Amino acid sequence: MRGCRSVSNFLEIYPAKADIFECLHMIHTDIEENLIDIWALDKLQEEHRDTFALLSRIAMLNPECIEHDLLKPRQTNSNTASLDMPPAQYIAHRTRLADASLIDVDSDTQDVRVHRIVQDVTIDMIARRGSYLPDFRGAVQTVADRWPFLNRDYVSGTATNMDRWEACKQAYTHIIRLMEVYRVFSRYAKQSLAVPELAELLLEAAQYQLECSLDDNVVALLDTAQSIYECTSHDSAKTDENLVKVYRGRIGLASSSKNADELLKFAQLAWKIETNKFRRTRQQTPFLAVAHNDLAVGWACQREWERAIALSEESKAVRERMPGFTRDKLFSPLYHLGLVFLHQGRFSEAEEVLNQAIRDREEVFGANDAKSTRSAALLYARGNVKFNRADPGLNDLRESLKDHNEAMSRATRTTGAQSRPALLCQYQVAKVHMALGEHETACDLLKDVLARIIDRPTYHRDIAQNSYLYAKCLRLRGNVVQSEQELSRAVELHNSLRPLQQRTTSNLTDGDIAELIPYDYL
């Protein structure tokens, strides 16, 4: 065994993870040495501390690819982020780890890969010895140095900007690994650890996932961030300031899943904190404007239209009083004012407000803007105004189709054809084709949406409305068997989402489906 030090050879002997950790924790009495002995990690830590420090850093990052630029020593304003060694020594330490078969180094890119077993054993070792917090903070800061933060100096109107997504994508996998490592360290510490820098990264990562129409790990990211903030400060004002960041993340998740009750709950909590802060400081901030807007959306989802209008107007007023105000910063309040007017049947006012918001955005970003989903959202809303008004004299249905096609095009260019915004736009395009009697085109579009939409709880409301419309379309085309299948799917999802209003294939109505998404927005 003593000569069997490579990961591949070890896995031949212990192929199951349970076996590996039994060996690690020395449960088998007939095994003389655990993995720490087999890979000589004790000796490495004692005789080559800098090499072990490098291995510790590697153990805290994404095992599939740790970019050379992320690991190499560099000049930094942080005392803990960069490894404290000259570049030549870093290469020597990295070579020692590679020679011991603990890591692999790409000869072209110099990026590092490492087996998860090596990572887990290393993390377990340093956690047991209680020497992890400074190194962990350094790993967190290393990733933070490369993250394009949105909320540190937040400016109204900058959310959903896709220009930062590539940098986010590269760093995101490291943040997920840091979260996993944090949980290990917290178990050994028997409490949550105060690492607010990690909490900030976790919240940014959650927001990035929601912007990209993904919900992978969002709940875990938010829960972990909240646990960190709850043990960070005993100052109630500071705790509130931190928790409101988590609430904004939960508002984003509720908005994505169209969970009206959760959205209102966390919007109220965030609004209370931000308005109390304003009473104390008398400072108008972008987050105060956001809090008013989020609560407006929360009330709109409950069909409390007048409350929603008042809060949208207040959000608009706060933005107008901010230094450096430009009209494109009014996107959110104008967008939701237009939608509320639509739901009230005030079509002319809705169209006027949305036209103004579109002009404001075009003045800054051009007439063909696809910098974020915001232009798509405005066109989506205006298309719905024309669809619901359906005035033949204004050629509303054809104009609605034009808006929805353009919204779909921009959402696809911005976030990709698989994204939720693009698929929602495609659903609306199909809906207009149905109204125009173009059933074959509508069927093709809906079939495509259902083939590409992610089948998970976050999107079940979307799937239900697509399946319901697709069932109607199929029946009109004479495909009764498949129509019944799709209708059954819509009924099953409806009943799971509205357990107190159970329906069957014989009595599910347009109104029932509308209740799943009482306030439709992109």
Side-chain angles (χ1 to χ4, degrees), residues 139-429:
V140 170
Q141 189 60 51
T142 296
V143 177
D145 286 345
R146 283 156 177 75
W147 184 268
F149 283 93
L150 180 66
N151 295 310
R152 279 188 171 175
D153 298 300
Y154 179 73
V155 177
S156 296
T158 57
T160 74
N161 188 337
M162 66 178 294
D163 289 351
R164 67 193 191 99
W165 287 1
E166 188 58 37
C168 292
K169 181 180 179 181
Q170 292 177 1
Y172 175 76
T173 54
H174 297 301
I175 294 173
I176 295 301
R177 176 58 184 166
L178 288 169
M179 179 172 68
E180 294 169 351
V181 172
Y182 171 83
R183 289 172 174 173
V184 175
F185 290 159
S186 293
R187 286 200 300 271
Y188 280 98
K190 302 191 185 321
Q191 63 181 6
S192 293
L193 301 172
V195 192
E197 304 88 351
L198 176 61
E200 185 183 25
L201 270 179
L202 297 177
L203 293 177
E204 288 270 344
Q207 182 166 350
Y208 157 68
Q209 285 283 282
L210 292 171
E211 285 178 8
C212 296
S213 303
L214 303 170
D215 65 352
D216 297 342
N217 301 304
V218 170
V219 172
L221 289 162
L222 295 173
D223 287 347
T224 307
Q226 182 162 344
S227 73
I228 294 171
Y229 280 140
E230 286 174 344
C231 74
T232 297
S233 174
H234 299 294
D235 180 334
S236 60
K238 183 64 176 176
T239 299
D240 282 349
E241 187 176 328
N242 286 330
L243 286 178
V244 75
K245 302 173 187 176
V246 180
Y247 297 154
R248 284 195 290 269
R250 297 198 188 280
I251 290 166
L253 181 60
S255 179
S256 178
S257 62
K258 303 297 185 187
N259 188 325
D261 293 338
E262 285 286 289
L263 199 163
L264 180 60
K265 170 186 172 181
F266 288 108
Q268 287 176 314
L269 290 170
W271 183 85
K272 182 178 180 180
I273 292 172
E274 291 294 348
T275 53
N276 284 341
K277 181 180 178 181
F278 172 69
R279 292 188 190 100
R280 291 195 313 271
T281 65
R282 310 309 298 175
Q283 292 182 347
Q284 307 265 7
T285 68
F287 287 125
L288 178 63
V290 170
H292 286 307
N293 187 78
D294 286 341
L295 189 53
V297 178
W299 284 121
C301 289
Q302 304 292 332
R303 295 195 177 95
E304 294 279 355
W305 306 124
E306 295 306 321
R307 283 181 167 182
I309 289 171
L311 285 157
S312 292
E313 292 285 9
E314 186 58 33
S315 177
K316 178 173 176 288
V318 171
R319 293 164 199 265
E320 289 171 335
R321 291 192 289 265
M322 292 291 297
F325 165 74
T326 54
R327 285 199 57 85
D328 62 291
K329 304 296 194 302
L330 297 179
F331 161 78
S332 293
L334 291 183
Y335 176 54
H336 288 288
L337 278 171
L339 287 172
V340 170
F341 291 155
L342 161 62
H343 282 275
Q344 291 182 312
R346 297 160 63 179
F347 299 127
S348 295
E349 291 170 88
E351 188 171 14
E352 181 181 351
V353 167
L354 293 168
N355 282 340
Q356 181 61 60
I358 290 169
R359 288 194 297 272
D360 293 342
R361 191 152 186 89
E362 286 180 349
E363 286 181 10
V364 177
F365 300 104
N368 203 26
D369 168 44
K371 190 176 182 66
S372 77
T373 56
R374 292 189 164 191
S375 287
L378 291 168
L379 290 164
Y380 178 93
R382 191 174 70 179
N384 281 344
V385 171
K386 296 171 181 177
F387 179 83
N388 283 275
R389 184 172 56 195
D391 186 335
L394 297 174
N395 200 23
D396 267 342
L397 287 181
R398 287 294 172 190
E399 288 298 311
S400 173
L401 183 61
K402 181 179 176 181
D403 275 348
H404 281 304
N405 271 318
E406 184 60 25
M408 181 170 68
S409 172
R410 295 196 192 190
T412 299
R413 282 154 47 204
T414 303
T415 58
Q418 294 287 122
S419 71
R420 185 168 185 267
L423 294 175
L424 285 175
C425 290
Q426 187 167 324
Y427 166 79
Q428 291 294 342
V429 171

Side-chain angles (χ1 to χ4, degrees), residues 20 50 55 103 114 133 138-139 164 168 195 251 280 447 484 504:
I20 291 166
D50 286 343
L55 180 61
I103 65 171
V114 58
L133 200 51
R164 67 193 191 99
C168 292
V195 192
I251 290 166
R280 291 195 313 271
K447 180 180 179 181
E484 285 296 318
T504 67

Side-chain angles (χ1 to χ4, degrees), residues 107-167:
S107 58
D108 295 324
T109 64
Q110 302 299 297
D111 296 342
V112 168
R113 294 180 71 249
V114 58
H115 200 286
R116 284 295 295 261
I117 302 297
V118 175
Q119 286 191 314
D120 291 344
V121 171
T122 304
I123 292 300
D124 187 273
M125 175 182 172
I126 60 179
R128 285 165 172 265
R129 300 179 186 191
S131 58
Y132 47 81
L133 200 51
D135 287 340
F136 185 60
R137 289 185 186 278
V140 170
Q141 189 60 51
T142 296
V143 177
D145 286 345
R146 283 156 177 75
W147 184 268
F149 283 93
L150 180 66
N151 295 310
R152 279 188 171 175
D153 298 300
Y154 179 73
V155 177
S156 296
T158 57
T160 74
N161 188 337
M162 66 178 294
D163 289 351
R164 67 193 191 99
W165 287 1
E166 188 58 37

